Amino acid sequence: MFQPNMMEGQLHRLDMTQNTPEGDMARIRDDEFDSTNTKSGSENQDGASGDDQDPRPKKKRYHRHTQHQIQEMEAFFKECPHPDDKQRKELSRELGLEPLQVKFWFQNKRTQMKTQHERHENTQLRNENEKLRADNMRYREALSNASCPNCGGPTAIGEMSFDEHHLRLENARLREEIDRISAIAAKYVGKPVVNYPLISAPMPPRPLDLGVGNFGGQPGIGGEIYGAGDLLRSITAPTESDKPMIIELAVAAMEELVRMAQMDEPLWMSSLDGTNAVLDEDEYVRIFPRGIGPKPTGFKCEASRESAVVIMNHINLVEYLMDVNQWSILFSGIVSRALTLEVLSTGVAGNYNGALQVMTAEFQLPTPLVPTRESYFVRYCKQHADGTWAVVDVSLDNLRPSPAARCRRRPSGCLIQEMLNGYSKVTWVEHVEVDDRGVHNLYKQLVSSGHAFGAKRWVATLDRQCERLASAMATNIPAGDVGVITNQEGRKSMMKLAERMVISFCAGVSASTAHTWTTLSGTGADDVRVMTRKSVDDPGRPPGIVLSAATSFWLPVPPKRVFDFLRDESTRNEWDILSNGGVVQEMAHIANGRDTGNCVSLLRVNSANSSQSNMLILQESCTDQTASFVIYAPVDIVAMNVVLNGGDPDYVALLPSGFAVLPDGTAAHGGGMEEASGGSLLTVAFQILVDSVPTAKLSLGSVATVNNLIACTVERIKASLSCESA
């Protein structure tokens, strides 16, 4: 798959072998690129590379395995294509190879077998396609030459094309579906749903998909919710008797959302500083007397509205919101888990107009000190007469009353207006009622202000993620800047890997009911919370016992200064204990948006101890008006070179650690990230592999070590920022 001379050039370009022992790198390269057949082995041995032009004598770095070694590994592969660590070590000992060589030989073999299988399937599909095309031509010719047995003239069916006949059948089916939904809505709401003209157009192509599989970071997305809380676990799909009521509720919620997004005073009043819209609750009840009933006792109302222009066309944006997997990935900092229980309607006319689906979701703040919010709701999408699209959520708690419910969504969602050049104007309304008594005092100000889960956070996240997607699809990358990755496939693979890292971090740092935190002894607000996970058969994580530790604390420093300090590689050795005081250099980066803080970087730590191998760190930093993240993970040099050449990033093992920076909510104008005043709420989270055997017992010494690591990191950050602000 990956030719040696290509990787040689890539390693030389990144200068990753500068301080790496030559023998170790030779063994790694031998293992990674040794082929399983004689031809590729000889090419590795004799083929010229770009380094041949160097007049300095060099050792040959490539050789192939012996015939005996290949035969033994081939035989083992037939029995077990995925050997574990113990099997790889035994095999390497028997064959006189390094375990790493055996590991990469099996990876390359699996890739080779997958490619051969896909090539065989493509050939079969091509042959079947040719056969179908020939049959189609034969039927068309027969139809065109057919004659009426009565009069001898041409038959009427010959006047209609085969494709047109199928389109007419599809139109009839779609019209029946519209009539059925309209009849139900008219029965329960009292007025018919507007019929829109049918368009016989295929579903538009999906935008670039940077989505990843389920790598332990987002359990339950698009599938079963593992380890869910009492509320989400108790919810089932709606019954047939529930569906008319759900449709009635969705239609009424859509009407309410549109009016909430468009009305101003007296429903929405300006805040004292004029920067936010505040909902008048009495006026709301007067205008919308129906709905999901009165506010439960002890619940607080959070209502907000925000607008922005984002760099994504309206059709793609609707698709992201209606696809539970894409929606969860797009808002991974807010949505920890989500699931579609049942699709009541897929929409009509080849798009999501009229789509209706029952869902569950869990919403989070990146800290273990704020409980997540679980919700059971229906999502309804509709295209209005003026071309505006709207997507609305409304809770279905009345169908499944539960004492565990601490949050319910009144009609919330967004209006999407098409603009020029592929942009869209989004107006977001977020209206929830919540029991927030479980929120830690440290975060009460931020949560009560509405900025923790409000419309501003949803819109700011959407704007930042749209810029990230646009960056991933960009082709006009200037080649002059040092360290900028211009290879399109390499950029896509590296961003996909970074996306998986961010999703895993966000899902593992909140107070989600999918996992349980254990609080270690501390000083109250600075308590360190830990949890363990067993990683088995997960190609995206190293196997063994992973210990996660997190703590949140307040800093008397503005959020932007905290973010800039943590993402700057030149100040990293002030807080990063694992770098051992080494110099950190940025080897490559990908810009993700207008803000220079939004980027994916590949960092190299030049250890002060020359006997240690250099370490690579993949880092993504992202910031918007409501939150900032600096997330990183150590990565293997060989694996990253595969990724930089466009290889599959799913098999790169990651254990992400990092920081989440939030405003404390005390500054003027809402206390956003850009404010020069106010304090910061910083969450520090580490993931450490404490034992490579998943069945091993966790020792108290490992917990103490991680606890000390996070405590020392916190003290270093406080000391550095206090000196900087002094």
Side-chain angles (χ1 to χ4, degrees):
M1 290 288 290
F2 307 102
Q3 298 179 12
N5 57 343
M6 291 172 60
M7 296 303 298
E8 177 78 9
Q10 183 68 44
L11 283 167
H12 180 72
R13 182 174 67 82
L14 291 181
D15 193 20
M16 293 178 184
T17 63
Q18 195 173 43
N19 295 324
T20 305
E22 185 175 344
D24 291 345
M25 285 306 301
R27 282 200 305 274
I28 291 173
R29 290 181 177 177
D30 289 346
D31 167 69
E32 184 181 3
F33 302 113
D34 276 345
S35 177
T36 61
N37 57 64
T38 306
K39 180 180 177 181
S40 62
S42 62
E43 287 173 354
N44 285 344
Q45 191 174 26
D46 302 325
S49 69
D51 290 338
D52 290 342
Q53 300 174 6
D54 195 334
R56 294 175 295 177
K58 281 194 173 183
K59 294 181 181 179
K60 292 183 178 178
R61 294 180 180 272
Y62 302 103
H63 67 271
R64 62 187 181 90
H65 298 312
T66 66
Q67 193 66 27
H68 171 69
Q69 291 171 335
I70 293 175
Q71 289 175 351
E72 289 296 319
M73 287 191 286
E74 288 275 7
F76 196 93
F77 183 89
K78 292 179 181 179
E79 298 294 329
C80 177
H82 292 271
D84 56 24
D85 282 347
K86 183 178 178 181
Q87 292 170 318
R88 286 198 298 265
K89 288 177 181 177
E90 289 179 0
L91 197 56
S92 65
R93 189 163 52 249
E94 291 173 4
L95 300 179
L97 297 172
E98 293 289 335
L100 196 59
Q101 289 179 292
V102 175
K103 175 183 177 181
F104 280 103
W105 187 93
F106 274 83
Q107 284 185 355
N108 289 340
K109 183 65 177 178
R110 287 194 295 269
T111 302
Q112 183 188 52
M113 296 300 292
K114 180 181 177 183
T115 303
Q116 291 176 354
H117 180 67
E118 290 175 347
R119 189 180 297 118
H120 178 67
E121 284 187 339
N122 288 341
T123 303
Q124 284 185 322
L125 290 173
R126 193 178 297 112
N127 293 336
E128 291 177 6
N129 193 26
E130 291 295 331
K131 182 181 177 182
L132 290 173
R133 186 179 288 111
D135 290 343
N136 193 18
M137 293 298 296
R138 189 167 68 251
Y139 293 146
R140 285 173 180 267
E141 185 176 355
L143 286 173
S144 62
N145 295 330
S147 59
C148 177
N150 296 325
C151 64
T155 56
I157 194 170
E159 299 172 3
M160 183 187 299
S161 71
F162 188 74
D163 292 337
E164 185 179 355
H165 179 64
H166 273 277
L167 288 174
R168 288 178 182 273
L169 293 176
E170 178 70 6
N171 271 354
R173 185 189 67 78
L174 294 173
R175 193 173 298 278
E176 286 178 1
E177 185 172 354
I178 286 182
D179 292 341
R180 180 173 58 82
I181 295 177
S182 298
I184 296 175
K187 179 179 178 181
Y188 289 96
V189 183
K191 57 182 178 181
V193 177
V194 178
N195 275 341
Y196 294 99
L198 290 172
I199 305 172
S200 299
M203 180 72 80
R206 298 274 180 185
L208 175 65
D209 180 9
L210 289 183
V212 298
N214 185 5
F215 289 97
Q218 286 264 63
I221 289 184
E224 184 179 353
I225 300 185
Y226 297 100
D230 293 336
L231 176 62
L232 297 190
R233 192 186 296 113
S234 64
I235 292 174
T236 58
T239 63
E240 287 298 322
S241 60
D242 291 334
K243 292 179 182 179
M245 188 183 304
I246 292 174
I247 293 174
E248 173 190 1
L249 193 59
V251 173
M254 177 62 71
E255 180 181 343
E256 179 176 321
L257 174 72
V258 173
R259 296 179 67 185
M260 289 273 287
Q262 295 174 347
M263 293 179 68
D264 290 317
E265 295 185 2
L267 181 63
W268 293 97
M269 308 295 291
S270 295
S271 59
L272 295 177
D273 54 23
T275 58
N276 297 310
V278 179
L279 181 70
D280 186 322
E281 293 189 50
D282 293 334
E283 188 68 20
Y284 170 80
V285 173
R286 188 188 68 79
I287 297 175
F288 305 106
R290 298 175 63 188
I292 59 176
K295 182 171 64 178
T297 305
F299 280 40
K300 293 183 178 179
C301 173
E302 293 181 7
S304 54
R305 184 174 65 177
E306 191 73 20
S307 296
V309 176
V310 299
I311 183 171
M312 181 182 288
N313 72 64
H314 62 296
I315 298 297
N316 288 348
L317 190 50
V318 168
E319 288 186 352
Y320 267 93
L321 296 176
M322 296 305 295
D323 183 322
V324 66
N325 292 315
Q326 298 291 346
W327 175 65
S328 303
I329 292 170
L330 196 67
F331 296 101
S332 59
I334 305 175
V335 181
S336 56
R337 292 175 296 139
L339 179 70
T340 298
L341 293 176
E342 184 167 347
V343 176
L344 302 183
S345 173
T346 58
V348 295
N351 55 41
Y352 283 107
N353 182 25
L356 201 66
Q357 52 197 37
V358 178
M359 304 173 62
T360 61
E362 183 183 53
F363 305 105
Q364 65 178 353
L365 202 63
T367 173
L369 300 183
V370 177
T372 54
R373 298 178 173 184
E374 300 167 332
S375 187
Y376 171 50
F377 57 93
V378 60
R379 176 165 293 178
Y380 179 38
C381 177
K382 181 180 177 182
Q383 183 181 18
H384 293 271
D386 60 353
T388 300
W389 286 82
V391 178
V392 65
D393 297 343
V394 62
S395 281
L396 298 176
D397 297 314
N398 291 339
L399 298 181
R400 300 284 189 278
S402 170
R406 297 197 312 269
C407 172
R408 64 176 192 166
R409 292 171 70 77
R410 288 191 177 273
S412 302
C414 61
L415 264 61
I416 305 168
Q417 295 174 270
E418 179 184 7
M419 300 189 71
L420 298 176
N421 301 321
Y423 284 78
S424 300
K425 181 182 179 182
V426 177
T427 302
W428 200 289
V429 174
E430 197 66 19
H431 190 189
V432 300
E433 292 166 341
V434 61
D435 178 3
D436 63 356
R437 285 173 290 187
V439 176
H440 193 281
N441 288 334
L442 203 60
Y443 285 84
K444 276 195 178 296
Q445 179 73 25
L446 178 64
V447 173
S448 62
S449 70
H451 294 303
F453 295 93
K456 178 176 286 188
R457 186 170 174 224
W458 285 94
V459 169
T461 302
L462 176 63
D463 187 24
R464 172 170 53 80
Q465 289 286 61
C466 287
E467 287 189 356
R468 190 184 196 279
L469 288 167
S471 173
M473 292 185 287
T475 55
N476 55 341
I477 308 299
D481 297 338
V482 178
V484 175
I485 301 174
T486 57
N487 175 11
Q488 181 70 14
E489 291 302 316
R491 286 171 59 88
K492 184 176 178 180
S493 293
M494 186 167 168
M495 291 185 69
K496 185 177 179 182
L497 180 62
E499 178 185 69
R500 171 158 66 88
M501 177 178 69
V502 171
I503 291 172
S504 176
F505 174 85
C506 291
V509 75
S510 70
S512 171
T513 54
H515 45 66
T516 304
W517 291 98
T518 300
T519 303
L520 303 181
S521 58
T523 58
D526 291 344
D527 286 348
V528 175
R529 288 162 171 79
V530 298
M531 66 176 172
T532 58
R533 295 177 180 176
K534 291 183 179 180
S535 177
V536 182
D537 295 331
D538 186 349
R541 287 178 178 271
I545 296 180
V546 177
L547 183 63
S548 300
T551 187
S552 298
F553 57 96
W554 179 78
L555 283 170
V557 181
K560 189 175 188 309
R561 192 184 307 172
V562 177
F563 171 69
D564 289 338
F565 169 75
L566 293 173
R567 75 179 181 88
D568 188 355
E569 69 271 12
S570 65
T571 57
R572 188 183 186 98
N573 55 12
E574 294 184 27
W575 57 263
D576 188 359
I577 299 173
L578 299 180
S579 65
N580 292 324
V583 178
V584 181
Q585 293 177 305
E586 183 181 71
M587 306 304 298
H589 72 271
I590 302 172
N592 277 345
R594 293 166 295 182
D595 195 300
T596 55
N598 291 328
C599 74
V600 177
S601 304
L602 190 61
L603 309 176
R604 183 178 68 187
V605 180
N606 295 321
S607 176
N609 186 352
S610 59
S611 65
Q612 295 182 359
S613 298
N614 291 344
M615 178 173 62
L616 287 185
I617 295 174
L618 177 67
Q619 175 177 293
E620 174 153 359
S621 58
C622 48
T623 184
D624 57 48
Q625 294 180 349
T626 60
S628 295
F629 296 89
V630 178
I631 303 167
Y632 62 91
V635 288
D636 180 67
I637 293 177
V638 177
M640 277 311 301
N641 274 283
V642 173
V643 170
L644 289 171
N645 279 296
D648 187 359
D650 289 348
Y651 291 94
V652 179
L654 289 176
L655 280 180
S657 300
F659 308 93
V661 188
L662 299 173
D664 62 4
T666 59
H669 310 297
M673 294 296 299
E674 302 299 324
E675 298 298 329
S677 59
S680 304
L681 297 172
L682 179 62
T683 296
V684 183
F686 288 145
Q687 291 192 75
I688 306 293
L689 183 69
V690 294
D691 200 309
S692 59
V693 180
T695 56
K697 298 292 184 182
L698 181 65
S699 67
L700 292 177
S702 299
V703 177
T705 300
V706 175
N707 189 26
N708 291 335
L709 173 65
I710 203 167
C712 291
T713 303
V714 169
E715 289 305 316
R716 287 191 176 194
I717 291 173
K718 288 181 176 179
S720 297
L721 287 173
S722 62
C723 292
E724 186 179 298
S725 59

